[in-house]
Amino acid sequence: MPSLTLAEARERADLVTVTSYAVDLDLDRGVEVFGSRSVVRFTCTTPGARTWVDVHARTVTSATLNGRALDAGDLVDGRLPLPDVAGENELVVEAVMAYSHDGQGLHRATDPADGLDYVYGHLFLDAAPSVYACFDQPDLKAPYELTVLAPEEWVVLGNGAATREAPGRWRLAATLPLATYFVTVCAGPYVSVTAEHDGIPLGLHARASLREPLERHAPEMLEVTRQSFDYFHDLFGIRYPFGEYHQVFVPEFNAGAMENPGCVVLRDQYLFRGAATRDELLGRANTISHELSHMWFGDLVTMQWWDDLWLNESFAEYMSHRCLVDATRYTDAWVDSSIVRKVWGYGAERSPSTHPVAGVEALDAQSALQNFDGISYAKGAATLRQLISFVGDDAFIAGVRDYLSRLAYGNGTLANFLGAIERASGRSLEQWSRAWLLTADRDTLSVRLTEQGGVVSDAVVLRETPQRHPADRPHAFDVAGWTDGEQRLGLSLTVTDAETPVPALVGNPAPAVVVPNAADLTWARIRLSDSTIDALPAQLASVPDAQARAVVWSALLDGVHGATVSPDTFLEVFHASWPHETNPSLLTRVASYAEHRIVPWFVPRERQAGVRSALAESGRTVLEQAPAGQTASLAAARLVAGTSDDESLLRAWASGHDLPEGLSDDGDFRWIVVRNLAGRGLLDDEGIEQFRSRDDTLQGSLNALLCRASRPDADAKAWAWEQLTGRHGRSNYEMVHLARGFWQAPDDDLVAAYVPRYFDDVPAMAGWVGEDALSRVVESAFPVVFSDATARLSAAALERTDLSPGVRRPLVDCDSELREVLASRRAFAGS
């Protein structure tokens, strides 16, 4: 179906003002379809004009405009024409809609643990018309009233407070003005934990089979919710305006969470069934705070068009980390950001698909979805930290309050926001915004030190601007250096030139390790000196600043991807430093990068078995010395479980014997072991099924699919590929898990025949898989066969003109990563 264009949205917004929606949903019609009745009241500036309403229905059974019947046969490509519109109008559309299984629209999933069904609405970015008839664009906000008919045993939740009026009949309280993509309904036999804070009713909800982890984790999640409410109320000076606040943990959710006002939906993997590391808890806390901050940035004030997506995501990304540091126990949230969020964002920046933080011309809605990435999140947050350095925190917060107050319940633009900051600070942001917001790519920062007799004799900070996207960005950051754990230098500065002499560093003892941007205040490629890289195996573990260590690890990862740092160098630093790491985020994430990215991508296939054994040995070292049940021991156990070639150990752990403390009844840990066994050909389908029967849950079924796809057997690969690319009604999660396991193989020969098939079979799935879900399949299923032949096929695919946006963008990014791997292998072939 054609995507709404910016020109069309502007034309319709000039014509139409929506005054209210009344939506009635019938969710008691079986497992395939539901009923939808929409009453839309709107005014028109030009009576007699013609426009359209968006409806993606299986069948439109009735449609009237001001009592006049409309011909449902005129519905084309999801658009129902509205001829001869009056000044004031009432549109009534009754339709039969289809449940989705790809995480978009009204998604319905069955929990195999008990056979119960759950429904949730995820209407981002343009899925609202698959649930109700609407004028689907973010600047046509209106209040909503919803009624829902559901099976009697179901609970119904939504944007407004839900009241059960009769068995199976629910009414949701009228809302304040909302954008169409924020409307949601969650319905099913959800179980709940309720509370209250500062007069705001709170609710946490999940599938019945997740009652135990929901109740176990509820106190922690409610604490973060309360702390975030207090922090944002004080920071923004505006109380939360949307009534009750529910957080619903739903199955098969495409994203981390969605900020629907009053009813946030989150992926239910956040309800950790087994042991959780501290960084996993921090990540969940960050998501909770992130979505709550959206109640102001995105919900109260909504972007006018999708090209200002950053007004939602960059702010929520920044504000959630700020809140965690200032108001919760997760005071190391910026360390986590450095090794998780910024690594993600730097990857997006390296790709040919890189784009500016703001001002990206989104000519239609679907093209805007492709910029929903680490640049809009992580780079945007880093840019806001630079803005604060430029204007001062007091002026920044004053401008934020001005922006939110002036545009409450309406829509905002980049110009609106910058105007508010300029009024508060008295400074022009024209040049600053052109460099930081409106120009893509990043600068490279490095330090050139000259020493004599162990003392710094000259110091210069270098700023290199990218040739393909030149900009004059001022950088406020710091430089720090250590030797044997002792800080030898530290200085904050602002760089505005290609070369900036730093006389304050002269005369200091020359440090073994020098880290530009050690506090990670700016956004840049950090180039470590050769001498620093050489010193890292002996020195990194003794650097006492976790934030600086995170910057070093990020720079090493960036260097491996950029073919300036050998993967062997990364692994050498890993084996020397990781066993001594104390920060939870660095412990778990760096180990994950080593296991799941550095080894399978950058290490040649013939060397991978030996390198994995070395990773397992490092894991055993930590496991032997770390306190039982703590993050270090959990991270180490997971690394051993995923990389060890010790069959007797793996079989014992899979059977529940001799497990590390805290993992005796941890089904998710068991699946790491089972996948390792399956990938080595040590389990057949029957053996995998035995483990699935012990974990007869949604997650257990998904893990079983991944393990079956991982088996090094031609028949297993043929089955997995057909299940992935055929029309079997597989859910979005099932497709991703099949894709994740498929390319695991002892050699390229087993899967080489599927490389050309990928470029035909996966794009063809656009015919039945939604764009959001398909983009994840494209990425997960991209061939892990790194060869010039694969690169030629990938390049040829990108020449095609029939690729949908949800296929093309992730394919561009995957192609770029393929070429990074090939460049690295060429650069370090002899190492």
Side-chain angles (χ1 to χ4, degrees):
M1 292 185 180
S3 184
L4 179 70
T5 68
L6 174 56
E8 290 173 328
R10 286 174 173 169
E11 181 180 354
R12 190 162 62 171
D14 288 340
L15 193 66
V16 168
T17 299
V18 186
T19 54
S20 70
Y21 285 95
V23 179
D24 184 66
L25 300 178
D26 181 357
L27 308 185
D28 201 17
R29 296 190 182 184
V31 299
E32 296 296 329
V33 300
F34 60 96
S36 172
R37 183 178 189 271
S38 306
V39 180
V40 189
R41 295 182 174 86
F42 65 98
T43 62
C44 178
T45 58
T46 309
R50 180 184 182 91
T51 187
W52 80 93
V53 69
D54 302 295
V55 191
H56 297 167
R58 178 168 289 186
T59 305
V60 173
T61 56
S62 172
T64 63
L65 177 62
N66 302 324
R68 183 177 76 252
L70 301 174
D71 186 354
D74 293 337
L75 178 66
V76 177
D77 289 334
R79 297 181 176 187
L80 181 64
L82 303 179
D84 193 21
V85 176
E88 295 188 3
N89 303 272
E90 181 180 87
L91 171 68
V92 182
V93 178
E94 297 186 16
V96 177
M97 305 290 197
Y99 289 113
S100 84
H101 300 286
D102 61 8
Q104 296 169 247
L106 205 58
H107 182 99
R108 185 167 184 139
T110 301
D111 187 346
D114 49 25
L116 299 178
D117 279 11
Y118 295 85
V119 167
Y120 64 86
H122 182 50
L123 276 50
F124 182 85
L125 171 139
D126 57 358
S130 67
V131 178
Y132 65 100
C134 58
F135 296 102
D136 189 30
Q137 55 192 78
D139 56 344
L140 291 180
K141 300 172 75 171
Y144 286 78
E145 293 185 16
L146 271 75
T147 57
V148 180
L149 180 65
E152 290 187 19
E153 65 275 14
W154 282 17
V155 172
V156 173
L157 301 157
N159 303 101
T163 302
R164 192 197 304 260
E165 296 186 327
R169 170 62 67 178
W170 295 76
R171 180 175 298 277
L172 304 181
T175 72
L176 294 166
L178 306 180
T180 49
Y181 74 97
F182 285 137
V183 175
T184 193
V185 168
C186 300
Y190 287 99
V191 295
S192 306
V193 174
T194 59
E196 181 272 341
H197 179 65
D198 196 16
I200 303 167
L202 306 176
L204 303 173
H205 315 270
R207 289 178 282 136
S209 64
L210 293 176
R211 179 189 293 274
E212 187 279 328
L214 174 69
E215 293 179 347
R216 172 161 45 91
H217 289 286
E220 147 91 4
M221 295 188 294
L222 289 170
E223 178 184 37
V224 172
T225 302
R226 293 183 176 108
Q227 291 167 330
S228 298
F229 263 121
D230 290 344
Y231 186 77
F232 293 136
H233 281 159
D234 180 65
L235 193 68
F236 301 145
I238 301 172
R239 278 190 59 81
Y240 168 74
F242 296 110
E244 297 184 357
Y245 191 73
H246 296 276
Q247 297 174 81
V248 189
F249 294 86
V250 301
E252 301 175 345
F253 193 62
N254 275 334
M258 180 64 198
E259 65 270 20
N260 310 306
C263 189
V264 172
V265 293
L266 307 94
R267 58 168 56 217
D268 57 15
Q269 290 96 326
Y270 282 126
L271 297 178
F272 305 110
R273 302 188 306 167
T277 58
R278 186 181 182 278
D279 66 289
E280 288 174 326
L281 298 178
L282 186 159
R284 182 179 66 193
N286 183 63
T287 300
I288 289 171
S289 188
H290 179 110
E291 302 310 321
L292 184 53
S293 72
H294 269 311
M295 298 300 123
W296 290 266
F297 285 98
D299 297 5
L300 179 66
V301 181
T302 306
M303 59 195 171
Q304 186 165 309
W305 180 244
W306 300 106
D307 53 3
D308 275 324
L309 176 68
W310 80 287
L311 286 171
N312 287 15
E313 300 306 341
S314 299
F315 282 89
E317 181 85 1
Y318 169 73
M319 289 297 176
S320 63
H321 285 87
R322 176 171 176 152
C323 174
L324 291 192
V325 170
D326 290 350
T328 78
R329 66 189 179 99
Y330 298 109
T331 56
D332 57 339
W334 287 118
V335 177
D336 188 79
S337 173
S338 297
I339 201 62
V340 180
R341 310 296 287 181
K342 292 185 80 170
V343 169
W344 171 42
Y346 286 153
E349 194 83 288
R350 288 192 304 267
S351 173
S353 64
T354 186
H355 57 87
V357 172
V360 181
E361 189 174 49
L363 297 181
D364 60 58
Q366 278 298 332
S367 65
L369 180 60
Q370 308 317 309
N371 293 330
F372 198 65
D373 58 15
I375 293 174
S376 295
Y377 285 78
K379 183 178 181 178
T383 298
L384 290 177
R385 297 183 84 180
Q386 286 297 297
L387 177 59
I388 291 169
S389 295
F390 189 71
V391 302
D393 191 61
D394 289 344
F396 173 74
I397 295 302
V400 164
R401 290 184 171 195
D402 180 25
Y403 170 79
L404 293 174
S405 299
R406 286 174 182 259
L407 300 173
Y409 309 110
N411 298 84
T413 65
L414 169 63
N416 294 142
F417 175 75
L418 293 180
I421 301 297
E422 286 181 333
R423 286 191 296 272
S425 66
R427 301 193 65 173
S428 171
L429 295 177
E430 180 180 359
Q431 183 176 348
W432 184 93
S433 63
R434 186 184 308 116
W436 272 108
L437 296 177
L438 302 178
T439 306
D441 219 328
R442 56 184 171 152
D443 298 333
T444 298
L445 299 177
S446 60
V447 179
R448 186 179 67 216
L449 290 184
T450 304
E451 64 172 280
Q452 291 182 348
V455 175
V456 176
S457 59
D458 186 51
V460 179
V461 171
L462 306 176
R463 183 196 69 174
E464 301 172 48
T465 59
Q467 292 184 354
R468 59 176 179 163
H469 300 113
D472 185 14
R473 300 180 185 90
H475 290 270
F477 65 105
D478 68 332
V479 176
W482 292 266
T483 299
D484 297 332
E486 178 185 348
Q487 186 164 358
R488 295 289 181 88
L489 58 84
L491 179 72
S492 296
L493 71 163
T494 298
V495 168
T496 58
D497 298 310
E499 295 193 9
T500 303
V502 191
L505 299 182
V506 174
N508 288 286
V513 171
V514 179
V515 185
N517 195 34
D520 207 6
L521 299 177
T522 194
W523 179 268
R525 176 182 287 105
I526 301 304
R527 180 177 296 154
L528 302 174
S529 66
D530 291 344
S531 61
T532 288
I533 292 176
D534 290 342
L536 288 177
Q539 293 287 332
L540 182 57
S542 65
V543 172
D545 187 342
Q547 186 69 73
R549 297 197 304 274
V551 170
V552 169
W553 282 117
S554 175
L556 290 174
L557 285 164
D558 210 19
V560 171
H561 279 270
T564 60
V565 173
S566 163
D568 288 334
T569 296
F570 180 95
L571 292 167
E572 182 185 3
V573 178
F574 178 87
H575 293 304
S577 303
W578 182 80
H580 307 285
E581 183 55 63
T582 56
N583 179 269
S585 296
L586 297 179
L587 268 165
T588 60
R589 300 297 178 164
V590 172
S592 180
Y593 291 135
E595 178 185 358
H596 299 295
R597 177 56 60 97
I598 300 298
V599 175
W601 286 36
F602 293 94
V603 175
R605 181 88 74 171
E606 64 271 14
R607 292 184 50 219
Q608 289 179 8
V611 176
R612 285 196 177 93
S613 295
L615 290 179
E617 189 59 37
S618 287
R620 289 191 190 95
T621 298
V622 174
L623 191 57
E624 291 171 358
Q625 63 191 27
Q630 299 300 309
T631 291
S633 62
L634 294 176
R638 290 172 182 174
L639 181 60
V640 174
T643 59
S644 177
D645 57 3
D646 185 341
E647 183 179 351
S648 60
L649 172 72
L650 295 174
R651 290 196 181 279
W653 281 6
S655 300
H657 302 304
D658 302 321
L659 284 163
E661 186 175 334
L663 295 171
S664 59
D665 192 30
D666 192 324
D668 291 329
F669 177 77
R670 183 186 304 116
W671 280 112
I672 298 175
V673 181
V674 173
R675 181 185 180 182
N676 191 352
L677 287 167
R680 295 178 183 276
L682 301 175
L683 278 180
D684 57 15
D685 288 349
E686 182 179 349
I688 295 169
E689 174 59 23
Q690 290 176 1
F691 286 103
R692 190 210 60 79
S693 65
R694 294 173 58 185
D695 184 13
D696 191 15
T697 64
L698 187 61
Q699 194 59 46
S701 298
L702 293 171
N703 284 324
L705 284 177
L706 187 152
C707 290
R708 289 188 64 183
S710 299
R711 290 185 55 228
D713 176 85
D715 290 340
K717 298 303 182 186
W719 173 85
W721 191 259
E722 201 277 331
Q723 289 295 308
L724 169 64
T725 61
R727 300 189 70 156
H728 298 288
R730 290 286 188 185
S731 74
N732 51 334
Y733 271 40
E734 288 175 326
M735 290 184 289
V736 167
H737 278 70
L738 285 164
R740 284 176 53 203
F742 180 83
W743 296 103
Q744 182 169 334
D747 55 61
D748 290 345
D749 291 343
L750 179 62
V751 292
Y754 293 92
V755 175
R757 293 185 61 179
Y758 166 88
F759 296 102
D760 290 328
D761 295 354
V762 172
M765 295 168 67
W768 64 90
V769 179
E771 288 282 277
D772 196 13
L774 183 55
S775 67
R776 288 163 170 77
V777 174
V778 171
E779 180 181 356
S780 300
F782 191 84
V784 186
V785 176
F786 301 107
S787 67
D788 291 334
T790 303
R792 287 192 294 270
L793 288 167
S794 182
L798 289 172
E799 292 296 320
R800 291 170 52 176
T801 59
D802 62 337
L803 299 180
S804 68
V807 173
R808 179 172 296 280
R809 168 59 192 273
L811 190 55
V812 167
D813 293 342
C814 290
D815 177 81
S816 175
E817 292 176 328
L818 165 64
R819 293 172 197 284
E820 288 179 343
V821 173
L822 294 177
S824 173
R825 292 189 178 185
R826 285 192 296 269
F828 302 106
S831 66

